[in-house]
Amino acid sequence: MTNSAVGPDPVDAVVIGGSYAGMSAALQLARACRSVAIIDHGRPRNRTASRAHGCLGWDGCVPADLLRTARHQLEAYSHVRWITDEAVGAQGSIRTGFNVSCASGKTVSADRLVLAYGVTDELPDVPGLEDRWGKGVLHCPYCHGYEICGGSLGLLVTADDDALAHAQALQQWGEITIFHRGDRTEEALDALETQLNGIDATLERSPLVGVSEEATADLADGRRLKLRALFLHPETKLYSPIAHQLGCETESVDCISTDSAKQTTVEGVFACGDAARFAGNIALAIGEGALAGVAAHRSLLGLLD
């Protein structure tokens, strides 16, 4: 079935989240002739990016095209059901089965759960950042760096960031200027400037107060510095509270704890993708999803250690 109707019988597995990791997990289960329901609300994390890079075979593709093709292939399997909805709650156990409730009021029952609902990015409160997120304002040089290699790049850091480590990782792609929002003391800025002496990066003392055009840094002293791109590491948090509702342990507010088989601390519940590792990368998400899908199948067979 490939419609949104929910039947009375439980499926073998429900995958919450139909992006790269979720569909990869569902594919492994479908190929094992298991019934799978994917619940997805259609808001992938990289929806603002015009191109996706670093995914073998899909380098430079439009993200929506990749997802559309993947869904078309997945729905060709007879035991796959796609539910366009938002999962808002879950309860149960491996002994009693799991029930997932949706925003529409529907409930889906399953023997296993795969949590692939990802994270949300919380950007610093700087005018212009959100409008340019995934375009001129970026977080991953592996995803976007090659196209802007050799240019003037900015790095926006917060008071809690390890600015030196971030600058060292980014300097491969261009000349780095570090910006702050005025949340560091003069002493902290002095110390950071000293740290930067050994690498190809400079510190801009005037706070960043906005981003305009494609990626132009607007400074508090009135200057405007044109950049190829501005990088930052946003704070992230799990998109859904479902892992907490089920009693799954988390490493932090933005990462569900799993073992090497991608099983959470709750038996029968698996997690993959950005919700279960500190990475925002399509190739890694697809690989993680495959691990979770195979492990969920082995769990159904009673073969998972």
Side-chain angles (χ1 to χ4, degrees), residues 101-182:
S101 55
C102 300
S104 66
K106 296 174 182 176
T107 299
V108 191
S109 299
D111 296 319
R112 299 293 185 273
L113 291 185
V114 179
L115 308 181
Y117 47 68
V119 298
T120 58
D121 295 307
E122 297 186 337
L123 302 179
D125 186 17
V126 175
L129 280 186
E130 186 172 356
D131 292 340
R132 293 161 180 81
W133 184 234
K135 302 171 186 126
V137 179
L138 309 168
H139 84 288
C140 176
Y142 294 98
C143 297
H144 305 283
Y146 183 86
E147 285 67 35
I148 54 176
C149 191
S152 297
L153 305 179
L155 173 63
L156 176 60
V157 298
T158 67
D160 297 327
D161 277 339
D162 186 345
L164 178 60
H166 292 333
Q168 287 175 314
L170 193 59
Q171 65 178 338
Q172 170 71 44
W173 284 273
E175 299 176 359
I176 311 304
T177 300
I178 295 178
F179 299 93
H180 65 98
R181 296 184 297 150

Side-chain angles (χ1 to χ4, degrees), residues 32-305:
C33 303
R34 292 291 184 167
S35 57
V36 187
I38 303 106
I39 304 173
D40 184 70
H41 55 36
R43 290 178 60 81
R45 186 183 183 189
N46 69 343
R47 61 188 177 275
T48 62
S50 60
R51 298 285 172 180
H53 294 280
C55 184
L56 189 64
W58 284 93
D59 191 47
C61 74
V62 177
D65 290 346
L66 195 163
L67 290 172
R68 189 180 304 110
T69 298
R71 176 174 171 178
H72 176 73
Q73 292 175 348
L74 189 58
E75 288 186 313
Y77 289 85
S78 60
H79 297 296
V80 170
R81 179 190 308 157
W82 190 280
I83 302 171
T84 302
D85 210 330
E86 182 176 2
V88 295
Q91 60 183 355
S93 69
I94 196 171
R95 290 171 297 280
T96 63
F98 299 95
N99 292 313
V100 180
S101 55
C102 300
S104 66
K106 296 174 182 176
T107 299
V108 191
S109 299
D111 296 319
R112 299 293 185 273
L113 291 185
V114 179
L115 308 181
Y117 47 68
V119 298
T120 58
D121 295 307
E122 297 186 337
L123 302 179
D125 186 17
V126 175
L129 280 186
E130 186 172 356
D131 292 340
R132 293 161 180 81
W133 184 234
K135 302 171 186 126
V137 179
L138 309 168
H139 84 288
C140 176
Y142 294 98
C143 297
H144 305 283
Y146 183 86
E147 285 67 35
I148 54 176
C149 191
S152 297
L153 305 179
L155 173 63
L156 176 60
V157 298
T158 67
D160 297 327
D161 277 339
D162 186 345
L164 178 60
H166 292 333
Q168 287 175 314
L170 193 59
Q171 65 178 338
Q172 170 71 44
W173 284 273
E175 299 176 359
I176 311 304
T177 300
I178 295 178
F179 299 93
H180 65 98
R181 296 184 297 150
D183 50 1
R184 293 192 180 220
T185 65
E186 287 299 317
E187 292 77 9
L189 292 175
D190 289 340
L192 176 56
E193 200 161 40
T194 299
Q195 290 178 316
L196 295 175
N197 285 337
I199 67 171
D200 187 17
T202 58
L203 173 65
E204 178 52 62
R205 287 274 183 164
S206 183
L208 181 76
V209 295
V211 181
S212 57
E213 298 176 341
E214 184 175 351
T216 295
D218 300 329
L219 304 179
D221 62 8
R223 288 180 296 131
R224 303 178 73 237
L225 303 181
K226 189 172 183 179
L227 306 167
R228 292 291 302 276
L230 176 66
F231 284 85
L232 60 88
H233 288 261
E235 293 186 17
T236 60
K237 65 179 182 180
L238 291 172
Y239 181 85
S240 169
I242 286 177
H244 296 291
Q245 293 172 0
L246 292 165
C248 303
E249 293 181 6
T250 58
E251 297 178 26
S252 66
V253 295
D254 60 351
C255 188
I256 303 169
S257 300
T258 66
D259 61 16
S260 59
K262 306 310 300 177
Q263 183 166 236
T264 71
T265 53
V266 175
E267 190 177 6
V269 180
F270 301 81
C272 55
D274 291 351
R277 72 176 297 132
F278 296 105
N281 180 286
I282 293 174
L284 289 175
I286 292 171
E288 287 248 314
L291 285 173
V294 169
H297 177 238
R298 290 180 61 83
S299 174
L300 288 164
L301 297 174
L303 298 176
L304 194 65
D305 294 333

